[in-house]
Structure formats: structure tokens, C-alpha cells
Amino acid sequence: MSAPINETLIRDIIQDVLGRLGAATPVAPAQPVAVSAVPGPAAASCGCPASAAKSAARFGQRGRFGVFADATEAGEAAQEAYLQLAEKGVAGRQKVIQLIKDICHAKAVEWGRLELEETKIGRLDHKIEKLKGLRAIPGVEFLNPYGLSGDHGITLEEYAPFGVIGAVTPSTHSIPTMACNVISMAAAGNAAVFNAHPGAYRCAVTAARVFNEAIHRELGIENLACIIEPPTLESFNAITKSEHVKLLCVTGGPGVVQAAMASGKRAICAGPGNPPVLVDGTSCLTNAAQCVVFGAAYDNNLLCIGEKEVFVLDLVFDQFLAALEKQGAFRLSGAQVERLAKEAFVFPPGQGAGCPHPVVNRELVGRDPAVLARIAGANIPEGTPLLFAETQADHLFVEEEQMMPFLPVVRVKTVAEGIAAAKKAEHGYKHSAIIHSHDVANMTAMAKALETTLFVKNGSCLAGLGNGGEGYANFSIATTTGEGICNPRTFTRVRRCVMVDKLRIF
Ligand code: NAD
């Protein structure tokens, strides 16, 4: 009785799936042969109708190499990949990490260009650097178990995977954030489903497909890093509702952080920032100016850790502005700043009660200094990395996370005033802050007042992620939820294993 039903069911599903595979052929050559070539625990079938249907459904996940229109299917495919990765052990995870790092390095120029062409924001040289820099992301070595040994035996706490992680990536570093997330998540034994930014997803889809093809070639796992094409709010919601998605990791502004935290799933939130800098005049002003220009100009100020406003003691204010000019930054006049501000911020009706809240004009985010200078009415030398000007502490450019290569510099009378203004500008995001000082009391006071996740002294913001300072890098800094700079351990569950009274060797 059950055999004919199974056959019909299987035939229907296979026909449906083949139809869809046919449509996907131009972008991802279908390789149905891979079904039998990839044995794994999840591929096993007991012969019952449900199992047959599941196996047939998985057949539809072949040849996709991680790219799915349907978030529920992506969750299922990622779950299978997670189980397959478990079969491959630590060596399998290491292989995945090496593949991703090598691919990003080899394709840095091609993919940097691809991302810039799609998003039109940032700088090519820095996009290339970001992809090459993924070599610095930590891997499986980060997961040292914690052991206890005593009269009652031995206990081991291990960092175990969650399974499938739903991830959201920003427009500002689409491929780097996805690649970096995959490295950290796979190092911990997880698979992932990504919802990229709608304005930066095509490049991420290209990269995800290449990652999965390489992982499939080496390990036989096809869908370890799944991605939704095209990403929508609906696909985000479907990811959060997938039974297989056990954890979320979102990287972006306040909207996505709020959505992730309201989803009902545990969420690691790498949220917005507006990093202030304080220059108290006790350290080298040339170094301070050099660091500020390097950090604020990086990828046209798209970095969430990037210097967004500077508070400088009155005593050294003019000297510091001169030092910025020496570093190649261009000073705008007050009138030019106001002309730029009029274009840089928009006031959508309906937001704010009677007093519309300013929103950064997306058209100018991450654009070249030359574009901003044209709007401001300034002629700047070719290759100018950054614009700056003196503003008041309550200027929109200080208060908003503008992500443009324009830096407002504010004069303060005392260190206390500078710290208070920096704290106000940071909005309690607890993201990043920087001080240029040789006075430990000032450093301590600012660190205590702002409570940021990253606090850099006498370096550029990038020193906080290992570029010019000690430490490892990551493109997701879990500020809002407090996990800090993401690493493989961030994506683990701690599991304890206890052996009573035995195995201690002395
Ligand atoms: P964004 O908030 O516009 O978008 C980020 C991602 O969230 C995108 O994929 C977007 O589609 C999605 N999203 C936005 N609102 C959503 C909602 N309501 N529901 C579901 N998904 C939603 O940010 P962006 O412009 O792409 O990136 C810049 C922002 O991200 C800045 O605020 C920056 O500080 C922050 N950021 C933070 C980190 C970090 O590590 N903390 C890293 C990079 C960027």
C-alpha cells in the first residue's frame, strides 16, 4: 500500500525540483550526481514516506551552492551542512577556514571592484585590503576547552556549536562581513544563512557561491554558507522563524538590531556607533592627526569604528587643525560645511513629533571627498583623503553617524567638557572611542565615562582591530549585546562534561 504512494510523492517532488534546478542552471550548474556523492548522517533514509520526502527535498538543494530564494529551504540545507561539517571534525573546519581566506585573498581585487560597483560606496584600495585582511581572523585555535581537575575527578567545559546561525550583513562591508562571519561560525562548527543588505547582496551571492563550490569540492558539503537571493524583510523574518536557526548574528544599524532582538531568538547584535576622539594636547599632535586622518578616511569613513567627530582642547586646537592639513586633509569654511550639511541630512516627514528627526542622506554615504567638496563648493587637490571643519558640539555632523569622509572638529575648554561632549555624541552605543593623550588620568576618565567596547589610546580606530595595535580582527563587533569583537567562541554553547572521581592522573 505504501510503495505506490511513495513513488508518486517522490516523482512529484523530483519533477518540481528539477524544474527549479533548470531555472537556476545559468548561475549555478546543477550537479544532481552530488546526492549520492555526499553521504552524511542527514542524507540517510529509512524508507518511510516522510524520510523519502525529505531526501527528495534535499535533492532540490543540490546544485544551489548555498544560494536560495526561500529562507526555509536555506535553513534546511544549512542544517544538513551543519551535520555534514560535524562529520568532518576539526580538520574539516580548518579546511573551510583556509579555503575562505585563500579565496578572499586571491579574489580581493575582483571582488573589491564588484562590491564597489554594486554599492557605489567606499574606496577600492580599502575594499581590497579588507578582503586580504581576512587572513587575520581567528579560527579553531580560539576554542581552547576549560578544564578542571580535583579530588572529584575531571571536568571539561567545551565550546560546542549551535547548529545553524541566521546572519544579517551591512551595506558597508558586504563580502568581508559575510566571509568573516563564516570563518568564525564554521570554526565553531556552525553553518549559516545570510540575509545581506538589499543594496549589497549581489556581490555577497557571488562570493557565497564560490565559497560553497570550493567547500563542496574539498569536503563534499554544498550549503554551509547559505544566502538568500534576493534578500527582503520577509526573508529576514523567515530566517528568524526557521526551526533550524538557533541563533542570530546581525551587523548593522539600529533598525536591524531592534528587529533581531524582537524576533524571540537569541541575537548577537553588532550595532551602530558614532566614535568620538579626544585630543588633550599632552601627546604628539602629528601622530594624532595622522591617526585620525587614516581612520576617518578609511573606505571613505564607512567603518563603524571609524573616527566620526573630534574634540580638541582649546590650547592646541589651531595646531591640531594645522596638523590635519599637513596630513593631506582639506579644511572647509563654515559656509561650506553648512552647504554640505544641507545635502548630507534629510528630514523625512512623519518622523519625530512635530520636529522631524534628521536622517543621513544615503546618496552621500561613503562617497569620495571630491563629491562632498563639490557639494560644499570647495576645490580640493586630487587624492585628498578627508575633509574637515570646525563645528559646534551640537552640529548634525557630530550627532549623526554620517559615514562620510568629512570630520567635524569641536573646540573644548577642558578635558571634562571634552569627555562629556564625547559621551553625548556616542549616544550610549558603547561602540568605540579614541583618545590621544599621555595623561593616564584623562585616559582612565574617558574610558570610565564612555564604557565603549573598543577604546584606543594613541592610535587610529583600526588599531582596535589589530591594524596597528595588538589583537585580532572581525567585522562584527557585538556592541549592543555585549559579546565584544566576534570570534569563534562567540558562536558556541558552553557544554560541561563531568567524570566523577576518576581520570585525574595524580
Ligand atoms: P542598515 O542598518 O541599513 O542595514 C544593515 C542590515 O540590516 C542590512 O542587511 C539591512 O537590510 C538589514 N536591516 C535593516 N533594517 C532591518 C529590519 N528592520 N529588519 C531586518 N533587517 C533589517 O546598516 P548599513 O547602512 O548597511 O550599515 C551601516 C550601519 O551598520 C552603521 O550603523 C554601522 O555602525 C553599523 N555597523 C556596525 C558594525 C559592528 O560591528 N558593530 C559593523 C558594520 C556596520
Side-chain angles (χ1 to χ4, degrees), residues 340-363:
L340 178 60
K342 268 203 186 116
E343 294 286 324
F345 301 98
V346 291
F347 294 83
Q351 291 193 22
C355 175
H357 187 75
V359 172
V360 172
N361 179 1
R362 285 265 164 188
E363 291 298 308

Side-chain angles (χ1 to χ4, degrees), residues 128 285 335 392 428 458 465:
I128 293 168
L285 290 180
Q392 297 300 308
N458 303 320
L465 293 182

Side-chain angles (χ1 to χ4, degrees), residues 186-204:
N190 303 285
V193 179
F194 286 90
N195 218 40
H197 191 285
Y201 80 89
R202 289 187 174 87
C203 58

Side-chain angles (χ1 to χ4, degrees), residues 149-150 152-155 498-506:
S149 170
H152 279 301
I154 289 202
T155 287
V498 180
M499 177 70 186
V500 177
D501 289 343
K502 292 282 183 296
L503 275 186
R504 185 170 150 98
I505 56 174
F506 60 96

